Amino acid sequence: MEVVMAFVVGGMYAAAIYMMLRRSIVKLVIGLVLLSNAANLLIFTLAGMKSGAPPLIPPGMSMPDGAAADPLAQAVVLTAIVIGFGVLAFAVVLIHRAYEVVKADDMDQMKDTDR
Amino acid sequence: MLYAILSTFLVAAIAPAVHRVTGRASGWVLGILPAALFLYFLSFLPAVSSGESIVLSWPWLPGLDIHLSFLVDGLSLLFALLISGIGFFIVTYAGRYLEGHRDLGRFYVIILAFMGSMLGLVLADNLIAMFVFWELTSITSYLLIGYNHENADARKYALQGLIVTVGGGLALLAGIVMLAMAGGSYELSEILANGDVVREHSLYLPLLILILIGAFTKSAQVPFHFWLPRAMAAPTPVSAYLHSATMVKAGVYLLARLNPSLGGTEIWFTTLALFGALTMFTGVFLAFRSTGVKQVLAYSTVMALGTLTMLIGIGTETALMAAMAFLLAHSLYKGALFMVAGILDHEAGAKDFLQTGGLRTALPVTAAFAILAALSLGGVIPLFGFVAKELMLESVLEAPGLVGILTLLAVLTAILGVAVAAIVGIRPWFGSRVETPKTPHHEAPPAMLAGPVVLASLGLIFGLGPGLADEGLVNAAAASVQGAPVDAYLALWHGVNWPLAISAFSLIAGGLLYWRWEQARRALAWVDQAAEYGPEKGYFKMMDGLVWISEWQTRVLQNGYLRYYVIVIVAMTAGLVGVTAQLFDVSVSAVHFERLQIHEMAIIAILVASMLFAVLTRSRLGAVAALGSLGFTVALVYVLYSAADVGITQVLVETLTVILLVLVLFRLPGFLSLSSTALRLRDAGIALVAGGMITLLMLSTLDARLFDSISQYFIEESEPSGYGRNIVNVVLVDFRALDTLGEIFVLALAAIGVYAMIRFRAEDRR
């Protein structure tokens, strides 16, 4: 599964970068969402994908029963998801506000409005 | 020793307060410090002149083998005495010269800090410590030259001096790191004892070139000589100090200091002797055709620096002896003459030799000692300058090579030197009285006369009794430059020989030249046109070029188009990763596709399909829906592969994301077709390269593990130390709690930003 995921994640990066290269600012937002998902999956995949081994400790024991998935990678991804959402919310509202002011969603036009 | 040097910086810090309290006497009060330092250094004299060298060390960065260590031997002690001794006269002199100047307090701060840096530079035994002090002198001298900061020229030329010397400093840093690699230590005392190892090391040539660039820029050797006369924008006490004992001598000090470990090779001799001789001649030639008081003196300093470099390059016992004697003689007369120049300016308002004449009646004491110093500059018997000059000529005649060209340049320099000395020693004082901008009503105050009187008299005393200077310090200094005891001695009378003949000839020829000064200067007017193409032109061209390049670079890189930024970032990352992968021979060997189960295939199919749809669709709603589908499938991946908490978070966040996108994006216009097919293909190509790179990176690192994961610790300690059974939760709120706090800050900031933008919009509508 990891090998296949490597191709999927690479594809997601490609899609994200392609969208970020567009002039429409909405497509930039879509690119950002793709990028943060891709980055999260990258970390998650590289930590090793184990099914049926949650990092939980059964009652009465001090260690997980058998091998557990990497808890650190999960914690990192969890944090990244939340921060990614914060950034996205800010970006979306900022873009909306910018559109109201300059009446353009083409980034080339936005660039020229301060002239 | 450490406290001696630190004390200068401490006193520098409180100098403005001292100045406010003591007022007019501040020069004398602050002069106590250099005077005390002078006496302190004098206490080393008996030990040093008997041939000892003393190393004192304090640990500084022991882990990096950098110690604050000091080396007191003949060379460093000679410099330390000159710096502190002349420093005393400069501080007291400045107290009167700049009296009433609104920034005098600041002046004391900088000049004392400069003195401390200079002392540190000449006394440091550790190369890194020496370099730090070296750069400190560049910075403090920048502040000194630009002291009259409201004058555009002062700022411009201060910057010029800074850029030339600090540029050389960069080369020097590289050079001393190589020197330490070659010599096996950062301590000078150890490197100097390992001369043969350094000279035969494969890094010898590059490190020599780098160190020479550092020394030549600092000591204004051709072609870097142009910054020094420009530094005359500084107030006169600063010029006097920079030129006589400090700053510009630092490069010469470095050459002399490293002579035992770098010197003695063919390239050392050729480079130093040639550049030194050329600088010597250029300096005296330009001095002869200048008329500004300080200009003439500045160019004659260039001559002296060239002479010193040449002598160190020649490197025979006589030459080193001559270098040290010349160093002492020059410091004495140049310090005196610059202070005289300040008196001329202060009392008579004269800044140009053409504006002066017949001032000996108005300023009798100044005139007498100026003439005495000028005689030493001209090398007239029985002054110390004569002793030094005889030895210089002798060592040129006995040089191990290039005798013809060195002798020619030395004789020409001697002739022009006499003429320059006559300009300084005769022109302002004799002849008919010329109307000066200010009429001097009285002799200069004692604080300003003390320097010229003492320094010029010392030139006479050492001339009459050269043994005093010789046994005192000059011999020990020459010995530390040579790295072995020196047999030569100083004497006023060497008998009738070639040097004496050259001296006599140069006196007559120089006198004639002075007699015809005005005509000679007119005949040399072409030099001004030639100077248009000189090295200074190159400096200004280079500065213009820098501005041009940075404008061009800003235009190209900071073009305001997000997509070009993204392209640059992607290309750089891909390029660097590619190069690194090549260098470290990264290969993707262990890739084996396992058989996928049906639900895994389904997940991957959905991921790919929604990704493609999000990119290709022309409907905004379709794109958002595809993103939602992608996000929930990612959540499914997390849940399937043992990350329940992450899956839950992803579901929540994805729901919010979709709602937010639907709410906001539909207030924006629909997609337009903005780019051509060719552009789309180009972007797709870039994106695919980047994506492919990510895939390759992942494949090559899947099985690699360079270090043990710290996760095992979290797993083991979660229950016993963290009292939690959900390890991910314990990591988030306990082991990595600070990270979570940072995350909360980011969210709070984003929330505040969102709130602010929404609120302002509401106000706009109202």
Side-chain angles (χ1 to χ4, degrees):
Chain A
M1 187 68 179
E2 281 98 336
V3 175
V4 183
M5 281 306 286
F7 287 92
V8 174
V9 170
M12 280 174 82
Y13 266 96
I17 288 168
Y18 177 78
M19 291 306 266
M20 290 171 78
L21 290 174
R22 309 269 49 83
R23 271 163 68 179
S24 162
I25 204 152
V26 177
K27 291 194 173 178
L28 172 70
V29 171
I30 293 171
L32 280 177
V33 175
L34 282 170
L35 192 68
S36 69
N37 268 318
N40 292 340
L41 275 182
L42 180 137
I43 297 170
F44 189 72
T45 308
L46 286 182
M49 296 169 81
K50 290 194 185 105
S51 61
L56 298 171
I57 301 168
M61 295 174 71
S62 67
M63 288 272 283
D65 199 7
D70 191 340
L72 184 61
Q74 294 191 12
V76 170
V77 172
L78 207 152
T79 309
I81 291 172
V82 177
I83 290 186
F85 175 71
V87 172
L88 179 78
F90 185 79
V92 165
V93 177
L94 180 69
I95 285 165
H96 181 239
R97 184 86 183 103
Y99 174 71
E100 280 187 338
V101 175
V102 303
K103 298 289 174 213
D105 80 327
D106 176 1
M107 281 192 283
D108 287 11
Q109 287 177 36
M110 285 188 156
K111 168 183 180 290
D112 293 336
T113 50
D114 56 354
R115 294 257 169 86
Chain B
M1 179 61 67
L2 185 59
Y3 302 109
I5 288 166
L6 286 182
S7 70
T8 58
F9 293 102
L10 280 179
V11 175
I14 58 161
V18 174
H19 171 55
R20 263 196 301 281
V21 174
T22 52
R24 286 188 59 153
S26 57
W28 293 106
V29 174
L30 287 167
I32 295 173
L33 171 77
L37 286 174
F38 182 80
L39 293 176
Y40 169 71
F41 290 126
L42 213 53
S43 71
F44 286 93
L45 192 59
V48 168
S49 55
S50 65
E52 262 183 76
S53 64
I54 303 151
V55 177
L56 305 156
S57 186
W58 283 264
W60 182 14
L61 298 173
L64 290 174
D65 202 20
I66 297 173
H67 306 281
L68 212 49
S69 49
F70 299 99
L71 171 66
V72 187
D73 64 357
L75 181 65
S76 54
L77 190 58
L78 175 62
F79 268 93
L81 286 173
L82 286 172
I83 292 164
S84 54
I86 297 181
F88 165 75
F89 293 114
I90 297 293
V91 171
T92 52
Y93 182 92
R96 286 310 294 271
Y97 183 81
L98 292 173
E99 191 180 346
H101 196 293
R102 117 185 107 84
D103 293 329
L104 181 55
R106 203 184 62 197
F107 177 83
Y108 285 131
V109 175
I110 311 171
I111 196 121
L112 288 173
F114 175 70
M115 184 169 75
S117 322
M118 225 24 239
L119 284 173
L121 165 58
V122 298
L123 289 164
D125 186 41
N126 187 285
L127 282 174
I128 298 293
M130 189 197 76
F131 178 76
V132 170
F133 285 119
W134 175 283
E135 293 293 61
L136 272 177
T137 62
S138 291
I139 293 166
T140 44
S141 67
Y142 165 72
L143 296 172
L144 286 172
I145 297 168
Y147 175 69
N148 292 320
H149 58 88
E150 281 160 11
N151 178 342
D153 269 356
R155 293 198 303 269
K156 179 172 152 194
Y157 292 125
L159 187 65
Q160 189 184 56
L162 182 74
I163 286 177
V164 173
T165 53
V166 169
L170 277 180
L172 177 69
L173 177 61
I176 60 176
V177 170
M178 285 174 159
L179 177 63
M181 284 160 67
S185 166
Y186 274 102
E187 300 300 311
L188 272 169
S189 43
E190 290 171 34
I191 293 171
L192 296 182
N194 279 341
D196 289 332
V197 181
V198 176
R199 274 188 293 270
E200 277 151 32
H201 200 276
S202 57
L203 285 176
Y204 175 71
L205 191 63
L207 78 84
L208 179 68
I209 292 171
L210 289 169
I211 288 178
L212 287 186
I213 291 176
F216 281 11
T217 48
K218 195 87 163 182
S219 277
Q221 300 293 303
V222 169
F224 304 113
H225 62 280
F226 58 86
W227 76 264
L228 201 153
R230 299 297 193 189
M232 291 297 110
T236 307
V238 173
S239 310
Y241 202 30
L242 292 186
H243 282 243
S244 59
T246 58
M247 186 70 179
V248 298
K249 295 271 174 70
V252 171
Y253 164 79
L254 185 72
L255 296 176
R257 174 48 82 211
L258 295 176
N259 183 48
S261 99
L262 297 180
T265 58
E266 186 69 18
I267 178 161
W268 171 271
F269 164 70
T270 320
T271 321
L272 262 62
L274 272 184
F275 274 93
L278 277 176
T279 307
M280 172 175 83
F281 177 69
T282 312
V284 77
F285 179 73
L286 293 173
F288 177 68
R289 60 163 308 285
S290 304
T291 59
V293 176
K294 289 171 78 177
Q295 290 294 321
V296 171
L297 292 176
Y299 278 121
S300 84
T301 303
V302 175
M303 174 211 47
L305 295 170
T307 312
L308 288 168
T309 306
M310 178 187 75
L311 288 172
I312 294 169
I314 291 174
T316 56
E317 239 174 42
T318 326
L320 296 182
M321 202 67 190
M324 292 303 110
F326 196 85
L327 176 79
L328 179 58
H330 175 254
S331 297
L332 296 176
Y333 69 67
K334 193 50 66 68
L337 286 176
F338 262 114
M339 291 193 226
V340 168
I343 294 175
L344 274 179
D345 185 10
H346 198 252
E347 303 299 328
K351 294 177 195 299
D352 194 300
F353 281 118
L354 298 180
Q355 300 171 335
T356 59
L359 283 167
R360 69 178 186 286
T361 45
L363 302 166
V365 185
T366 312
F369 288 94
I371 293 164
L372 198 59
L375 286 175
S376 195
L377 163 67
V380 177
I381 200 164
L383 285 125
F384 195 53
F386 171 78
V387 178
K389 192 169 93 172
E390 292 292 285
L391 266 182
M392 187 270 277
L393 291 169
E394 191 181 328
S395 37
V396 167
L397 291 171
E398 292 168 0
L402 304 171
V403 177
I405 182 156
L406 293 186
T407 311
L408 177 70
L409 288 172
V411 172
L412 288 175
T413 304
I415 296 170
L416 286 168
V418 170
V420 168
I423 296 170
V424 177
I426 299 176
R427 176 89 200 186
W429 319 111
F430 297 98
S432 55
R433 179 69 181 268
V434 175
E435 208 45 53
T436 46
K438 275 199 282 186
T439 311
H441 294 297
H442 50 78
E443 184 55 87
M448 291 176 67
L449 273 178
V453 168
V454 173
L455 297 178
S457 310
L458 277 177
L460 181 64
I461 294 169
F462 286 149
L464 291 173
L468 212 62
D470 185 3
E471 283 147 37
L473 204 47
V474 173
N475 196 297
S480 39
V481 179
Q482 171 153 286
V486 171
D487 222 2
Y489 62 96
L490 297 177
L492 188 58
W493 185 249
H494 278 265
V496 180
N497 53 11
W498 274 109
L500 188 71
I502 294 174
S503 277
F505 170 67
S506 65
L507 266 181
I508 297 164
L512 284 174
L513 266 183
Y514 171 67
W515 183 48
R516 291 280 170 211
W517 186 41
E518 312 261 332
Q519 285 98 315
R521 238 176 356 95
R522 269 198 295 280
L524 291 173
W526 56 268
V527 175
D528 282 332
Q529 275 121 46
E532 286 286 299
Y533 304 96
E536 187 173 27
K537 188 79 179 166
Y539 166 82
F540 285 120
K541 275 252 188 295
M542 189 195 78
M543 296 308 283
D544 289 347
L546 275 180
V547 173
W548 185 84
I549 288 176
S550 64
E551 273 175 0
W552 169 82
Q553 177 182 301
T554 310
R555 244 187 350 260
V556 169
L557 291 180
Q558 308 296 327
N559 48 35
Y561 292 101
L562 179 74
R563 56 183 177 279
Y564 292 122
Y565 297 157
V566 173
I567 289 175
V568 168
I569 292 171
V570 167
M572 278 301 290
T573 314
L576 288 177
V577 168
V579 169
T580 315
Q582 281 293 317
L583 286 181
F584 294 95
D585 205 18
V586 175
S587 60
V588 185
S589 54
V591 176
H592 44 88
F593 287 88
E594 317 140 71
R595 177 176 285 278
L596 292 182
Q597 288 178 296
I598 183 99
H599 66 276
E600 292 175 331
M601 286 189 212
I603 284 173
I604 287 175
I606 300 174
L607 279 179
V608 172
S610 34
M611 186 167 80
L612 285 177
F613 190 77
V615 171
L616 297 177
T617 182
R618 298 183 53 92
S619 138
R620 285 170 298 162
L621 187 61
V624 172
L627 278 186
S629 138
L630 180 99
F632 286 115
T633 317
V634 170
L636 202 58
V637 173
Y638 293 143
V639 172
L640 270 176
Y641 292 94
S642 320
D645 303 278
V646 185
I648 295 168
T649 316
Q650 174 80 6
V651 168
L652 289 176
V653 164
E654 207 51 48
T655 313
L656 281 174
T657 305
V658 171
I659 294 173
L660 182 76
L661 287 180
V662 170
L663 276 181
V664 176
L665 293 193
F666 280 86
R667 293 168 178 268
L668 301 177
F671 291 160
L672 294 168
S673 190
L674 289 170
S675 7
S676 63
T677 314
L679 272 179
R680 282 168 199 274
L681 284 178
R682 180 200 69 181
D683 293 344
I686 293 168
L688 284 175
V689 168
M693 182 197 74
I694 295 284
T695 301
L696 285 179
L697 265 185
M698 288 180 72
L699 290 178
S700 64
T701 48
L702 271 179
D703 296 318
R705 182 169 284 290
L706 294 177
F707 306 101
D708 282 338
S709 168
I710 53 169
S711 301
Q712 198 54 37
Y713 170 82
F714 294 139
I715 293 172
E716 282 165 13
E717 293 297 320
S718 172
E719 206 273 337
S721 313
Y723 299 102
R725 299 188 177 281
N726 183 334
I727 304 175
V728 176
N729 285 4
V730 176
V731 170
L732 281 174
V733 300
D734 196 326
F735 293 124
R736 309 292 311 166
L738 271 181
D739 289 356
T740 310
L741 186 67
E743 175 194 345
I744 291 170
F745 272 125
V746 171
L747 281 185
L749 274 178
I752 291 170
V754 169
Y755 173 74
M757 279 188 282
I758 292 172
R759 205 181 69 119
F760 286 143
R761 186 178 54 194
E763 279 178 3
D764 285 351
R765 285 196 181 143
R766 220 183 296 132

